Amino acid sequence: MSQYFDLGDETLWNPSNGASRLFRRHVPVFEAELGLPSGIGPMENDECQIDPVALDAFVHALLAQHRKAGHAVILALSEGFTATMLVLAERAGIRLDWARLGTLPAAFEDVQVSADTGWPVAEGGGAWGAGLRERARELGRRMPR
């Protein structure tokens, strides 16, 4: 069995029921964290419609939050969900301006202090987002349409 995440008549993702269930359980957690709707509609008859306008705003806010996170556990917990959302956004035709996102101030909100330097530990240094983009590319190759 599988479920469909659709944008109009186009299927963006057709995961197994288990993968879909786990993903959909993460959605309200991140909606609450960001204070925004994700654009991921309810699953009805194994089909879910995606609102591209809400998805666009949500993914940009998700990436901004990821950029500000300086805590290894927060990054680890959010990376898989964020990468999955990036694949859906790409398939929905949402354009992400990685250069602009990388210039957002990394005003860390939740930080993990490094034992060596005492400074917040941030992902990727100067190549912010490179690891996340690579994870999304790899995941996109494995996510069935």
Side-chain angles (χ1 to χ4, degrees):
M1 295 284 301
S2 62
Q3 298 186 327
Y4 297 86
F5 289 81
D6 297 332
L7 179 62
D9 292 336
E10 181 184 358
T11 297
L12 303 182
W13 185 29
N14 178 226
S16 68
N17 288 348
S20 173
R21 185 176 51 251
L22 188 58
F23 171 74
R24 287 183 294 106
R25 286 184 176 159
H26 281 78
V27 169
V29 170
F30 286 90
E31 287 176 330
E33 283 294 309
L34 297 173
L36 289 172
S38 63
I40 306 295
M43 188 60 68
E44 297 173 350
N45 299 318
D46 291 330
E47 295 180 356
C48 167
Q49 280 295 318
I50 295 175
D51 173 351
V53 174
L55 180 66
D56 187 320
F58 185 79
V59 169
H60 278 89
L62 188 61
L63 288 171
Q65 179 196 47
H66 193 78
R67 168 89 171 131
K68 291 188 282 186
H71 196 288
V73 172
I74 291 172
L75 291 169
L77 289 171
S78 65
E79 187 175 83
F81 178 80
T82 302
T84 304
M85 291 301 294
L86 288 175
V87 173
L88 289 174
E90 178 184 306
R91 290 179 180 179
I94 294 170
R95 296 185 54 91
L96 297 170
D97 185 348
W98 286 94
R100 184 185 63 76
L101 286 165
T103 64
L104 293 174
F108 300 113
E109 292 176 355
D110 288 301
V111 297
Q112 173 181 331
V113 177
S114 168
D116 297 329
T117 65
W119 290 100
V121 177
E123 175 193 303
W128 177 82
L132 185 58
R133 287 187 303 234
E134 179 55 36
R135 175 114 190 244
R137 275 192 294 276
E138 176 63 29
L139 192 57
R141 287 190 285 272
R142 296 170 185 256
M143 286 174 59
R145 285 188 185 243

